[in-house]
Amino acid sequence: MATVSMRWLTLLLLVLVSAPALVAEESERPNFVVFLTDDQGWGDLACYGHPEIQSPNLDRFASEGLRLTQCYAACSVCSPSRSAILTGRTPYRNGVWRWIPGGSQYHLRESEITIATLLKQRGYDTCHAGKWHLNGKFNSDAQPQPDDHGYDHWLATQNNASPNHMNPSNYVRNGEPVGRMEGASAILAAEEASQWLQDRPDPKTPFFITVWTHEPHLPIESAPRFMEPYAHLDDEGLRQHHGNITQLDAAFGNLMKALDQQGYRDNTVVFFTSDNGPEGNGTSGRTRGSTGGLRGRKRHTHEGGIRVPGIIRWPGKINAGTVSDTPVIGSDIFTTICDIVDIPLPENRTIDGASLLPLFAGEPVQRDQPLYWRNHLAREEYRVGLRVGDWKIIGSDDLSSFELYNIARDPEETTDLSAAEPERFAQLKQRLIQHDAAVLEEGPDWWKEDVQRSSKRRGRTAEPPAGKDETGDFDVVLGATLKKTDPGYLLEPSGEGLALRKLDQPITERATIRLTYRTAAAGQSTKNGMLVISDKPTNTDSFKIGTAIGMNQHVAFPGGWNNVGAAAAKRASFGGEDRFTVQVDLDLEKQSATATINGVKLSIKLPADLQTVRYIGLYSKATATEFQDLAIETEKP
């Protein structure tokens, strides 16, 4: 018996000795937080050199961790960048190739493997709070929702906070609409994550949190207390924009305070970044984000559209106050977390992200896939890009024209070196062509259905309800109220609004159409006005040509606003209150048109099924717009 007792005692001692080691190993699994902002430019923080913006929490956070000076979003628009963070895959591979309109078929497929799912399988608690924008059919069984992608708890919106960042009414919590919430959207999202963290049944379980703010995406609205630091600025737009950054900074600070108070600071890896560059031209209204002097903005493949702030903190593993100019991209977050937790990367698909663990130790990052971008809304001649080392090549949509830049020496991309560096240019050109083909081949071909001027795309355009015509001058009004003004008309839409006039003689050959328009909505970010031509009196079948004033572009597109700029788009310099005159020269036999808008020319290929124009008219989206001088001249060949 003594021998047996000694054996049991020995076994018990072994268990007691080994148990603490197992518990320690389990408790040492780090937690993760990914805090993502929306449309925040590379220069939109004090720690990135902004002379006015006050961002005390993020400035302090940068002093506690690693600040990245060449951090990139995976795309220059929102939904694709988000998909890359969660999957480690460039957007055209994972299917989220474009920003996702509400109600559309596009979504992050359940066949994609997210980092939330992988961590949940490893025993992590998972939470998402804020903007989602990874499906068109939000909070519907028709498409995957956040819980289908690995989240235990979620509070989210499909896209923007509505009606704006203050007191949003469109949040959904775990499938149940919440109704109006009091406060700023970013603050509410951070509070949701903090409360969830506190209420978890087992505080020792590791966690993964994504907080994705709506700020500073338009429509921008900031709480008065966050605009107080900018009271000295006369420009209301600047006060609102800068206050919006300070607002999200406060939300970030609240979340970091919750980590501290609940004892998670030292064992939590926190990533902070943005989904793309700033909206607008930065000179008027509330879309006043800074690129820090970089070329281009949101929707651009140049640096200003894709280079964003990036800061990482991991106490004890990353030296405080360090700065790195190593190029990194949003898809690296997935791979880095997998490396930290020792999760094997999925073997049945290409993972584009690289692990940043070597960077934390001051070593080079080993990258199997180059940094790569493709954006359907970028200007056609600058739609694709690839970076290897210090060199970046930008190509047109069809990869027939290219530019080459040395980003280390020329971050503003002022000098195309394709002629000066013929060998390097030839190598990178071939690599871009091959890489682009491989990416497009791997992902679902949804994007093929959305090619410019696709009739299928127009078939999915929503039809506005019948509107009200107070003038008696138009045959059809949809989605709006049309009023007489001096000297023309005021179109006031609730969403998309059209006023169509039937022609006495349809256009079948050539004609010139003119229209003058300007916004009638002071202080509003969304501003636009369009001339409409159509064979049928519907939104689906109409073709729009005009100005997306809030986007600083002249545009042409078929169908609804979801397709804005699909047929043509050209950036221009103008003020938000300017008056615009468009002259459209139609040639239906050649299926082409030339639009001249305040001297800026657009060459347009018309849809193949637009053989006859029976209606012309007015169009605006979500903003009151004044129109006058709608006139037509027909000409036979």
Side-chain angles (χ1 to χ4, degrees):
M1 289 293 295
T3 303
V4 174
S5 298
M6 286 300 296
R7 286 175 179 172
W8 276 109
L9 180 59
T10 302
L11 180 59
L12 178 60
L13 288 172
L14 285 172
V15 170
L16 291 173
V17 169
S18 60
L22 291 172
V23 171
E25 181 179 352
E26 191 77 2
S27 66
E28 286 173 1
R29 287 188 299 170
N31 310 299
F32 300 96
V33 173
V34 179
F35 196 101
L36 182 72
T37 62
D38 196 348
D39 289 2
Q40 183 180 4
W42 184 65
D44 276 339
L45 290 174
C47 59
Y48 277 84
H50 199 286
E52 287 282 355
I53 287 177
Q54 295 189 24
S55 48
N57 295 292
L58 283 160
D59 297 343
R60 180 169 57 253
F61 181 71
S63 72
E64 297 166 346
L66 171 65
R67 184 170 65 86
L68 304 165
T69 63
Q70 297 194 51
C71 178
Y72 291 101
C75 187
S76 56
V77 291
C78 48
S79 301
S81 296
R82 297 161 194 274
S83 72
I85 288 172
L86 289 187
T87 67
R89 286 157 54 77
T90 199
Y92 271 79
R93 288 198 213 270
N94 67 39
V96 186
W97 63 279
R98 60 161 295 157
W99 76 274
I100 301 179
S104 75
Q105 66 166 323
Y106 308 114
H107 62 275
L108 185 62
R109 302 167 299 164
E110 284 191 84
S111 59
E112 290 298 322
I113 301 172
T114 71
I115 191 61
T117 296
L118 292 176
L119 289 173
K120 185 174 181 178
Q121 291 171 353
R122 286 295 184 95
Y124 277 67
D125 290 338
T126 56
C127 170
H128 174 80
K131 180 170 178 172
W132 180 241
H133 211 189
L134 287 173
N135 55 23
K137 297 176 182 178
F138 179 67
N139 202 33
S140 164
D141 292 336
Q143 291 176 354
Q145 305 302 316
D147 50 307
D148 296 307
H149 284 301
Y151 287 100
D152 299 318
H153 179 90
W154 55 280
L155 174 78
T157 64
Q158 189 269 336
N159 187 356
N160 299 327
S162 177
N164 51 51
H165 301 146
M166 292 304 300
N167 308 323
S169 59
N170 61 330
Y171 266 123
V172 173
R173 180 184 287 116
N174 299 325
E176 295 295 329
V178 178
R180 177 184 167 95
M181 301 179 74
E182 296 291 331
S185 178
I187 301 291
L188 293 169
E191 286 177 350
E192 183 79 10
S194 300
Q195 191 64 49
W196 170 84
L197 194 59
Q198 181 175 309
D199 293 344
R200 292 186 307 146
D202 184 0
K204 293 183 180 179
T205 302
F207 58 82
F208 172 72
I209 295 173
T210 47
V211 173
W212 293 355
T213 73
H214 301 94
E215 290 89 333
H217 191 290
L218 57 82
I220 289 173
E221 192 69 35
S222 303
R225 66 189 175 103
F226 296 122
M227 291 192 288
E228 288 177 2
Y230 313 107
H232 63 286
L233 299 176
D234 294 333
D235 190 320
E236 187 267 352
L238 281 176
R239 294 196 302 272
Q240 281 282 356
H241 174 269
H242 295 357
N244 224 227
I245 302 293
T246 302
Q247 187 163 287
L248 72 85
D249 177 81
F252 180 83
N254 291 347
L255 184 59
M256 295 303 101
K257 184 178 180 180
L259 293 179
D260 291 350
Q261 291 175 340
Q262 298 179 42
Y264 296 121
R265 175 192 177 95
D266 291 341
N267 197 33
T268 301
V269 187
V270 181
F271 299 86
F272 172 87
T273 190
S274 172
D275 64 349
N276 48 248
E279 179 66 89
N281 63 8
T283 62
S284 61
R286 298 182 181 184
T287 53
R288 307 298 282 275
S290 169
T291 67
L294 301 174
R295 179 179 174 182
R297 299 176 74 81
K298 180 179 179 179
R299 304 176 188 86
H300 287 214
T301 310
H302 291 102
E303 294 288 287
I306 53 178
R307 195 190 291 198
V308 291
I311 310 170
I312 310 172
R313 187 185 74 183
W314 190 7
K317 302 294 193 299
I318 293 177
N319 291 330
T322 52
V323 178
S324 173
D325 61 0
T326 298
V328 305
I329 196 166
S331 51
D332 294 342
I333 293 174
F334 174 95
T335 313
T336 303
I337 293 175
C338 285
D339 199 6
I340 291 172
V341 185
D342 197 23
I343 297 175
L345 295 178
E347 296 181 351
N348 62 345
R349 63 199 63 205
T350 303
I351 300 298
D352 294 279
S355 173
L356 301 182
L357 273 184
L359 183 64
F360 299 167
E363 301 295 329
V365 172
Q366 301 302 315
R367 193 173 293 282
D368 294 332
Q369 301 293 330
L371 303 181
Y372 162 87
W373 301 270
R374 176 178 269 278
N375 181 8
H376 70 297
L377 289 179
R379 286 176 56 175
E380 191 167 328
E381 63 267 39
Y382 306 130
R383 196 155 286 177
V384 191
L386 180 143
R387 178 170 175 176
V388 178
D390 292 337
W391 294 89
K392 177 179 169 188
I393 187 168
I394 294 176
S396 61
D397 185 40
D398 61 358
L399 297 179
S400 63
S401 63
F402 304 85
E403 295 178 356
L404 179 67
Y405 299 99
N406 185 299
I407 300 301
R409 296 198 301 262
D410 181 22
E412 295 85 8
E413 294 167 297
T414 62
T415 307
D416 176 10
L417 298 175
S418 54
E421 296 274 352
E423 291 185 11
R424 191 184 305 275
F425 174 65
Q427 292 171 356
L428 287 176
K429 173 182 171 181
Q430 187 61 30
R431 185 165 183 182
L432 174 57
I433 291 172
Q434 292 175 346
H435 188 78
D436 183 68
V439 168
L440 298 183
E441 178 67 24
E442 185 171 334
D445 61 1
W446 287 334
W447 57 274
K448 293 180 182 178
E449 300 179 24
D450 252 48
V451 294
Q452 295 177 3
R453 302 168 298 278
S454 163
S455 60
K456 289 183 180 180
R457 168 189 255 184
R458 298 198 307 279
R460 292 195 296 272
T461 294
E463 282 303 315
K468 183 178 181 181
D469 182 7
E470 298 181 358
T471 72
D473 294 342
F474 285 75
D475 296 280
V476 177
V477 175
L478 300 174
T481 298
L482 184 67
K483 302 177 180 178
K484 268 280 179 76
T485 64
D486 185 15
Y489 301 95
L490 176 66
L491 189 68
E492 296 180 312
S494 55
E496 292 188 73
L498 302 87
L500 298 172
R501 179 181 295 165
K502 190 171 184 179
L503 299 175
D504 294 333
Q505 295 293 326
I507 303 169
T508 58
E509 297 175 342
R510 292 205 291 260
T512 296
I513 308 172
R514 297 182 183 87
L515 177 67
T516 298
Y517 51 91
R518 69 176 179 180
T519 183
Q524 184 173 317
S525 298
T526 303
K527 300 178 181 180
N528 51 82
M530 313 280 166
L531 168 70
V532 182
I533 58 175
S534 186
D535 183 28
K536 301 174 183 178
T538 68
N539 194 31
T540 299
D541 296 287
S542 63
F543 192 87
K544 285 88 172 179
I545 305 167
T547 306
I549 303 170
M551 296 166 56
N552 301 105
Q553 290 184 323
H554 298 309
V555 296
F557 58 98
W561 183 262
N562 290 344
N563 309 321
V564 64
K570 183 171 289 188
R571 297 192 71 82
S573 297
F574 48 75
E577 313 302 322
D578 285 2
R579 185 184 299 272
F580 302 90
T581 297
V582 55
Q583 175 175 308
V584 177
D585 297 304
L586 289 175
D587 190 334
L588 293 179
E589 288 186 331
K590 294 182 179 179
Q591 293 289 239
S592 66
T594 300
T596 305
I597 308 175
N598 287 9
V600 177
K601 289 187 179 296
L602 293 178
S603 295
I604 303 165
K605 180 67 175 176
L606 296 173
D609 55 358
L610 186 59
Q611 303 287 335
T612 303
V613 173
R614 291 183 169 87
Y615 293 86
I616 63 172
L618 324 171
Y619 171 90
S620 183
K621 163 69 164 63
T623 186
T625 304
E626 292 181 350
F627 298 89
Q628 66 184 79
D629 302 330
L630 177 61
I632 182 170
E633 297 175 7
T634 58
E635 176 190 350
K636 291 187 177 181

